[in-house]
Amino acid sequence: MTTIYCDLDGVIANFVDGAIEAADLPLTHDEVNQWDFFKPYMSSEDFWGRIHAQACFWEDLLVYPWAHELVEALRRFGDVVYCSDPTLDDESATGKIKWLKRHGFVRPGERNYILVAEKWRLSREGTFLVDDSLQNCLDFVARGEGVGTQFPQRWNDTFGHATVDPVAVVVGRLKSIQGLGGVL
């Protein structure tokens, strides 16, 4: 059976809006067009310190409007396992699991999630990674036999992602590469 590893932050969990609010940044989600969007305003230490100071930051993130549709589409390709890299803050891992349960991605009794910094370690034949980080996708392919599919977002907008339906893009990519290997 095929396993689809689905990233949380930036794919189904709206980390960007949560971070903008927690760090009190003068931005909107649509204005974020790079990974370290906070750097013109503050240091990494200040940014992450403000996030970690927020009670329930991770479990209170908003769900992207396409999240449930994406997951249902991914389930047509195989088993969906949520895969996320928690920060070093004690609340990050727990908050991510609570978020998955709160929003119905993990049902009672299920444990279809993996928290890991090095997602490439999960790469095997018959596995796919859907992630907004191109580097995570490239590492997933380079270090194993899995396939990486970059989830389109403004901060990774190489091919005009900001103007497309992200679910349709991912589904189309999975259909075209299923069994072929590589990164799309």
Side-chain angles (χ1 to χ4, degrees), residues 116-136:
V116 61
E118 298 169 326
K119 296 176 185 180
W120 60 264
R121 293 184 183 275
L122 304 171
S123 181
R124 306 278 185 279
E125 186 176 344
T127 61
F128 292 81
L129 174 65
V130 177
D131 200 303
D132 61 315
S133 165
L134 179 58
Q135 191 60 55
N136 284 345

Side-chain angles (χ1 to χ4, degrees), residues 83-154:
C83 182
S84 190
D85 177 6
T87 68
L88 297 177
D89 181 65
D90 292 342
E91 299 301 317
S92 178
T94 303
K96 288 173 183 273
I97 295 168
K98 287 180 179 178
W99 184 90
L100 284 165
K101 291 178 180 179
R102 175 184 291 171
H103 297 290
F105 292 102
V106 174
R107 297 178 186 107
E110 286 184 332
R111 290 184 163 186
N112 56 328
Y113 54 84
I114 295 175
L115 302 176
V116 61
E118 298 169 326
K119 296 176 185 180
W120 60 264
R121 293 184 183 275
L122 304 171
S123 181
R124 306 278 185 279
E125 186 176 344
T127 61
F128 292 81
L129 174 65
V130 177
D131 200 303
D132 61 315
S133 165
L134 179 58
Q135 191 60 55
N136 284 345
C137 293
L138 292 171
D139 289 347
F140 195 78
V141 170
R143 308 258 181 120
E145 298 179 25
V147 176
T149 301
Q150 186 181 35
F151 187 84
Q153 282 287 15
R154 290 183 183 276

